[in-house]
Amino acid sequence: MTVPSLDPRALRDAFGAFVTGVTIVTTRDDAGKPIGFTANSFTSVSLDPPLLLICLARTSRNFATMTAAKTFAVNILSEGQKDLSNTFARPVEDRFAAAAWQVAPNGSPIFTEVSAWFECSMQEVIDAGDHVILLGRISAFDNSGRNGLGYARGGYFTPMLAAKAVSAAAEGEVAVGAVLERHGEIYLLGEDWLSLPACVVAGGDPVAALTDRLEELTGLSIRTGFLYSVYEDKADGRQHIVYHALAEGDGAPREGRFFEPDALTSAIFESGATADIVHRFALESSIGNFGLYVGNETAGKVHPVSIKGARP
């Protein structure tokens, strides 16, 4: 029987639909030097005996050291540790230099302020295609109670922060809008005065309502992603929720246009809040580092949330 070939990139994107936490796996090499790498392929396996597993790519620079290790630790990162995750996901020479860490009972590096950590003895290394499975038997652990850092579809998210923002904004009639992106361009409505696509909802699922509105406006397939901005606008008396969304498909939209962010430096927008959102998107998309704004139309704070296109 002929087995149909699968597009590896498409398969990877499909795997990315599964929402995971983010971990850093650590051990020491033969010289006692700490090593570590970011991973989201972590699974609890058994309570009796206490087992967990991590998947490791054969192409990893840490492959030889990790598969030969007698002990290792899994650090489950908390919501505020996105930068730590990025450090251990990149080819940095000394990843531990700027990290606050200590030593677990059997010598594995563990980080401060994580959600939880587990130190394990290596139970088995299992061949699994282009990866191996590291099966660890837990010898020590700690649980701080902090909320974990989330990861899905190529980006980080902070579940507690997002939940609080939506809850605060959903007590009445809410304006729900989108920073809708396609190939790095942003979708806007209007001619002389540009605006973000939006709709007003009262109850129900704001994401579903927004997605339906975006597909109606553009005629394109829409994937609504992470929260981008939550603010109260005193001018209209409403709470505003803005999501980041992706448009899939070619051709001109039914209404509105896609703009290169650089072409909008002198554009006129319907409000200062819209201008701030568009200009922030232009800056953040240029460096691939997105955040969530929470505040009002004039003052607030941007919380680091997502790295576009990065994968632990």
Side-chain angles (χ1 to χ4, degrees), residues 18-23 39-42 76-77 148-152 156-157 312:
F18 184 66
V19 179
T20 72
V22 184
T23 76
N40 64 344
S41 54
F42 160 81
I76 298 179
L77 300 188
L149 178 65
Y151 193 82
Y156 299 106
F157 65 92

Side-chain angles (χ1 to χ4, degrees), residues 125 150 161 171 223 261 286:
V125 178
L161 180 60
E171 295 178 355
R223 192 172 73 205
S286 69

Side-chain angles (χ1 to χ4, degrees), residues 14 31 101 135 159 161 185-186 200 208 217 247:
W101 60 282
L135 185 64
L161 180 60
E185 296 182 337
I186 184 171
V200 176
L217 285 170

